[in-house]
């Protein structure tokens, strides 16, 4: 299979795992260049990974580069994606695709006009843990699903003190972190139909508690949402709760449970690719001993596999099928986040107008191609 020549835009902390994986793990990609707002950052990253440092204009003018992977803060996504699509590139971006459904819709239309693929993270739903949960649900292991609860917490005084992009528009706890849970839920159950939510920001002025960071101990402005509490009705009829609390003293203590008539699944943090998925079978009475089981269907990508999304999209491009982490699902998740904000303002249930397909399940053998098509292992 011909490798897809790829360039990375953005050389911040998240770029290391992306570039390393796309070079070392995913054989259908060939990373050839990187760029950054500060060219010296691109030069340093390029030297580290044996690729070229270029300007964005140089990347876009290189007709041999087919795919651009954007790893910059959310407010920059719209402009960078638009430029890349107009230059005839396929684009994969870190979450979220843009700051609004209006601009995201325009980019999807542009991608269609240009005949290019557009995809967006998070790609963690392609990992071993969520694919294991998906297979268990689809196989009827827990019977009819009756509800779910997805709950997480973070310490924004620490994280937003350490990472200034979290203070930017689109860096709030729902848009930056909650999208992992929303994407996971859509991958398991399909699109959201309606919701009701309560959203607030506990403190618009915070103190940087990140030892060793720039501005440690100093106050900073935080205008984004820090807490979200939501009831979600899915189009398949399942209802559950989703909440994220950015005002916790400890980070990422995930609670993610799916309830069924034949048992319960306890999932791990969807910000991660792996982790144990626990199956608790239904008890026949109060005195029956419950024996939880760790499920293992043999899915790959249990470690940090960021870059899997671009690799899977490249495989989809070569095969001519829809990518799993495609723009329509990213648009729907962005729409859900926006309706969460709207519901909180209006104090009522709101409908989610958009929809998307439920992405195709992954395969246990690690292949990214569909049955009957050319196959390549990663």
């Amino acid at each position: 299979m011909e490798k897809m020549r790829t360039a990375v835009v953005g050389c911040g902390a998240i770029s290391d795992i992306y570039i390393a994986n796309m070079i070392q793990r995913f054989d259908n990609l060939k990373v050839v260049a990187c760029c950054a707002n500060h060219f010296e950052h691109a030069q340093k990253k390029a030297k580290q990974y044996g690729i070229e440092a270029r300007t964005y204009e140089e990347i876009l003018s290189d007709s041999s580069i087919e795919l651009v992977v954007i790893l910059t803060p959310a407010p920059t996504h719209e402009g960078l994606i638009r430029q890349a699509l107009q230059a005839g590139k396929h684009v994969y971006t870190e979450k979220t695709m843009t700051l609004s459904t209006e601009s995201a819709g325009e980019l999807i239309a542009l991608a269609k006009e240009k005949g290019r693929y557009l995809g967006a993270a998070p790609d963690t739903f392609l990992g071993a843990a969520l694919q294991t949960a998906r297979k268990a649900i689809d196989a009827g292991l827990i019977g009819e699903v009756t509800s779910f609860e997805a709950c997480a917490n973070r310490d924004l005084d620490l994280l937003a003190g350490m990472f200034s992009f979290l203070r930017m528009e689109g860096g709030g706890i729902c848009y930056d972190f909650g999208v992992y849970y929303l994407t996971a839920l859509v991958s398991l159950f399909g699109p959201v139909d309606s919701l009701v939510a309560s959203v607030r920001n506990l403190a618009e002025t915070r103190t940087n508690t990140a030892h060793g960071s720039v501005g440690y101990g100093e106050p900073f402005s935080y205008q984004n949402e820090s807490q979200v509490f939501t009831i979600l009705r899915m189009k398949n009829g399942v209802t559950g709760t989703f909440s994220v609390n950015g005002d916790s003293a400890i980070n990422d203590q995930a609670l993610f449970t799916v309830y069924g008539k034949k048992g319960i699944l306890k999932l791990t943090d969807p910000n991660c690719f792996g982790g144990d998925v626990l199956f608790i079978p239904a008890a026949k009475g109060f005195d029956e001993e419950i024996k939880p089981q760790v499920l293992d269907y043999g899915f790959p990508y249990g470690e940090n596999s960021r870059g899997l999304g671009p690799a899977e999209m490249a495989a989809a491009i070569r095969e001519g099928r829809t990518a799993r982490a495609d723009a329509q699902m990213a648009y729907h998740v962005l729409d859900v986040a926006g309706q969460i904000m709207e519901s909180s303002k209006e104090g009522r249930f709101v409908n989610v107008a958009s929809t998307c397909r439920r992405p195709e399940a992954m395969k246990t053998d690690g292949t990214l191609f569909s049955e009957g098509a050319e196959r390549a292992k990663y």
Side-chain angles (χ1 to χ4, degrees):
M1 181 185 63
E2 181 186 0
K3 292 188 176 185
M4 183 164 291
R5 287 172 63 84
T6 303
V8 172
V9 182
C11 295
I14 196 66
S15 67
D16 282 303
I17 188 63
Y18 266 95
I19 296 174
N21 281 341
M22 289 192 295
I23 290 176
Q24 299 166 12
R25 297 197 61 198
F26 302 115
D27 293 339
N28 64 338
L29 299 177
K30 181 176 178 59
V31 181
V32 297
C34 66
C35 72
N37 192 38
H38 299 286
F39 192 66
E40 60 271 21
H41 294 170
Q43 289 177 311
K44 182 179 179 181
K45 199 69 64 174
K47 183 178 180 181
Q48 181 180 353
Y49 291 102
I51 57 180
E52 294 183 16
R54 299 186 188 178
T55 66
Y56 196 40
E57 291 71 22
E58 289 172 335
I59 287 172
L60 296 184
S61 65
D62 185 343
S63 60
S64 73
I65 293 176
E66 297 180 75
L67 172 63
V68 171
V69 178
I70 297 173
L71 307 177
T72 58
T76 68
H77 288 178
E78 180 184 355
L80 293 172
I81 293 171
R82 190 180 302 277
Q83 286 179 269
L85 291 173
Q86 288 173 338
K89 310 299 184 188
H90 304 291
V91 183
Y92 183 93
T93 185
E94 255 291 279
K95 58 15 166 168
T96 53
M97 184 162 52
T98 68
L99 296 178
S100 71
T101 52
E102 290 76 16
S103 59
E106 291 173 1
L107 293 178
I108 291 173
L110 179 60
K112 185 176 181 180
E113 175 191 328
K114 296 293 185 179
R116 301 293 90 182
Y117 277 60
L118 175 58
D123 56 0
T124 48
F125 77 93
L126 301 174
L130 282 166
Q131 290 299 311
T132 293
R134 164 77 178 261
K135 183 169 183 177
I137 292 169
D138 288 355
L141 183 66
I142 62 171
E144 179 186 352
V145 175
T146 58
S147 70
F148 59 82
E149 57 179 333
C151 178
N153 66 298
R154 286 199 148 179
D155 179 358
L156 286 174
D157 292 351
L158 174 70
L159 292 174
M162 185 183 303
F163 302 112
S164 60
F165 69 85
L166 294 177
R167 308 173 206 172
M168 299 178 183
E169 186 179 2
I173 193 69
C174 184
Y175 283 90
D176 181 73
F177 184 50
V179 293
Y180 289 100
Y181 285 81
L182 293 174
T183 302
L185 290 169
V186 171
S187 75
L188 293 175
F189 305 117
V192 178
D193 179 71
S194 59
L195 59 88
V196 65
S198 174
V199 179
R200 69 169 179 165
N201 178 9
L202 189 64
E204 294 186 356
T205 300
R206 297 170 181 266
T207 300
N208 181 354
T209 60
H211 288 273
S213 66
V214 176
Y216 168 67
E218 298 177 2
F220 64 89
S221 175
Y222 184 83
Q223 301 300 313
N224 294 320
E225 74 282 355
S226 71
Q227 296 183 5
V228 172
F229 305 95
T230 309
I231 298 173
L232 299 173
R233 291 174 179 164
M234 313 304 284
K235 288 188 185 296
N236 70 352
V238 176
T239 298
T241 59
F242 159 66
S243 64
V244 281
N245 177 7
D247 298 299
S248 175
I250 304 174
N251 285 311
D252 299 4
Q253 303 297 301
L255 173 66
F256 194 177
T257 309
V258 179
Y259 298 93
K261 289 187 175 181
K262 294 182 180 179
I264 294 171
L265 289 180
K266 287 191 172 293
L267 284 63
T268 56
D269 184 350
N271 188 22
C272 302
F273 287 81
D276 290 342
V277 176
L278 199 66
F279 168 58
I280 305 174
K284 299 295 190 295
F286 291 109
D287 298 328
E288 182 179 350
E289 182 182 1
I290 297 176
K291 296 180 179 179
Q293 307 166 26
V294 176
L295 299 180
D296 183 6
Y297 295 130
F299 283 100
Y301 311 119
E303 63 289 336
N304 190 338
S305 300
R306 281 173 171 80
L308 175 57
E312 197 281 329
M313 190 170 82
I317 292 168
R318 293 288 188 246
E319 189 181 338
R321 60 170 172 81
T322 301
R324 289 175 170 90
D326 72 326
Q328 289 295 341
M329 183 168 71
Y331 179 95
H332 179 66
V333 170
L334 180 62
D335 191 17
V336 171
Q339 292 307 312
I340 285 172
M341 305 302 150
E342 190 67 21
S343 171
S344 182
K345 289 178 184 177
E346 297 189 7
R348 64 177 180 85
F349 262 99
V350 297
N351 294 322
V352 180
S354 66
T355 190
C356 67
R357 68 182 185 90
R358 187 183 181 218
E360 181 184 352
M362 294 286 281
K363 306 181 192 318
T364 56
D365 63 3
T367 58
L368 298 181
F369 279 82
S370 296
E371 295 296 335
E374 180 184 3
R375 305 175 68 82
K377 289 204 171 189
Y378 302 96

